[in-house]
């Protein structure tokens, strides 16, 4: 089944404890992206990647890192999480042959709470 | 800069009512426009899209027309059911990024 998977789905952690949220897609998509969703703010893009080893900042990159060593994986890293990073996080990918960023396929989301 | 504005929710309707969720945008050039839907506890799914002026996107009884003259992409559906209760997001594609509206929560009452 074609899909975007994220792990973990739920995570409660404490301030300053490094964490990684994994994202994987099995559709051979080149474009991948991370968003956070907060009430009243819609989705805000954190980072995106046009292809392996190519990443760019989105609208709210502060406090996050990403890497793209393989086409299928695009992990989100919080080196020192803070309570203002408590949010719902979505990974998404976009198929080739469309304008990059169009028609994104979303993962199920990761609900992160930082105490 | 580019932006998307949606009507604030929640929008509450009775079953079989006609639905309109307004979306207007500000953008340079000719962006693609999208509606995504998010059911409770799930990720977003593409509902429909339009890539140029006067295009009509449609899917599952939902429609939206790309109106360049009014910079709008309003979502419509006739005779809604409880099952379409969800949060609806309007978005545009600009420079390889999707610019999102804040979302409109739709509640359909039986």
């Amino acid at each position: 089944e074609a899909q975007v998977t994220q792990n973990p789905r739920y995570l409660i952690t404490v301030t300053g404890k490094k964490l990684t949220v994994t994202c994987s897609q099995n559709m051979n998509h080149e474009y991948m992206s991370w968003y956070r969703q907060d009430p009243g703010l819609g989705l805000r893009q954190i980072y995106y990647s046009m292809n392996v080893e190519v990443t760019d900042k989105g609208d709210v990159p502060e406090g996050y890192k990403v890497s793209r060593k393989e086409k299928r994986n695009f992990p989100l890293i919080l080196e020192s999480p803070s309570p203002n990073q408590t949010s719902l996080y979505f990974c998404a990918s976009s198929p080739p042959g469309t304008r990059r960023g169009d028609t994104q396929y979303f993962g199920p989301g990761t609900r992160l709470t930082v105490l | 800069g580019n932006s998307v504005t949606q009507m604030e929710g929640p929008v509450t309707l009775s079953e079989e009512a006609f639905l309109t969720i307004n979306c207007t945008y500000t953008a340079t050039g000719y962006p693609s426009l999208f509606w995504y839907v998010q059911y409770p506890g799930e990720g977003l799914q593409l509902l429909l899209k339009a890539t140029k002026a006067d295009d009509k996107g449609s899917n599952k009884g939902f429609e939206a027309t790309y109106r360049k003259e009014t910079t709008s992409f309003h979502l419509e559906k006739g005779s809604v059911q409880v099952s379409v209760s969800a949060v609806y997001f309007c978005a545009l594609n600009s420079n390889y990024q999707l610019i999102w509206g804040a979302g409109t929560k739709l509640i359909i009452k039986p």
Side-chain angles (χ1 to χ4, degrees), chain A residues 31 37 45 99 102-104, chain B residues 32 36 49 93 96-97:
Chain A
Y31 182 100
Q37 182 180 19
Q45 190 175 51
R99 191 166 59 166
D102 271 10
T103 314
Q104 297 193 15
Chain B
S32 295
Y36 280 79
K49 72 176 188 179
N93 185 329
Y96 309 131
Q97 294 180 263

Side-chain angles (χ1 to χ4, degrees), chain A residues 9 31 35 37 40-45 48 50 57-59 88 90 98-104 106-108, chain B residues 30-32 34 36 38 41-46 49 51 87 89 93-103:
Chain A
R9 294 288 313 277
Y31 182 100
Y35 295 92
Q37 182 180 19
L41 296 177
L43 274 77
R44 293 179 291 168
Q45 190 175 51
Y48 65 99
M50 304 280 262
K57 295 178 180 179
D59 299 316
L88 180 58
F90 289 102
T98 60
R99 191 166 59 166
R100 293 238 177 108
D102 271 10
T103 314
Q104 297 193 15
F106 282 78
Chain B
Y30 301 93
S32 295
F34 306 84
Y36 280 79
Q38 184 180 29
E42 297 184 12
L44 282 76
Q45 305 170 29
L46 178 66
K49 72 176 188 179
T51 57
V87 180
F89 291 90
N93 185 329
S94 174
N95 295 327
Y96 309 131
Q97 294 180 263
L98 282 180
I99 309 298
W100 298 86

Side-chain angles (χ1 to χ4, degrees), chain B residues 26-103:
Chain B
T26 302
T28 53
Y30 301 93
S32 295
L33 300 174
F34 306 84
W35 277 101
Y36 280 79
V37 58
Q38 184 180 29
Y39 295 102
E42 297 184 12
L44 282 76
Q45 305 170 29
L46 178 66
L47 180 59
L48 53 85
K49 72 176 188 179
T51 57
K52 60 183 188 297
D54 300 325
D55 265 5
K56 178 185 281 188
S58 61
N59 186 26
K60 299 180 182 179
F62 290 90
E63 293 184 342
T65 301
Y66 190 143
R67 302 276 188 208
K68 193 161 178 63
E69 64 277 10
T70 55
T71 62
S72 65
F73 193 55
H74 305 322
L75 182 68
E76 296 180 335
K77 180 174 173 36
S79 191
V80 292
Q81 303 300 316
V82 172
S83 60
V84 303
S85 297
V87 180
Y88 291 81
F89 291 90
C90 185
L92 65 84
N93 185 329
S94 174
N95 295 327
Y96 309 131
Q97 294 180 263
L98 282 180
I99 309 298
W100 298 86

Side-chain angles (χ1 to χ4, degrees), chain A residues 18-34:
Chain A
K18 181 179 179 180
L19 66 91
T20 299
V21 183
T22 65
C23 173
S24 183
Q25 50 91 7
N26 61 1
M27 297 171 280
N28 201 36
H29 290 172
E30 293 177 346
Y31 182 100
M32 296 184 75
S33 181
W34 275 104

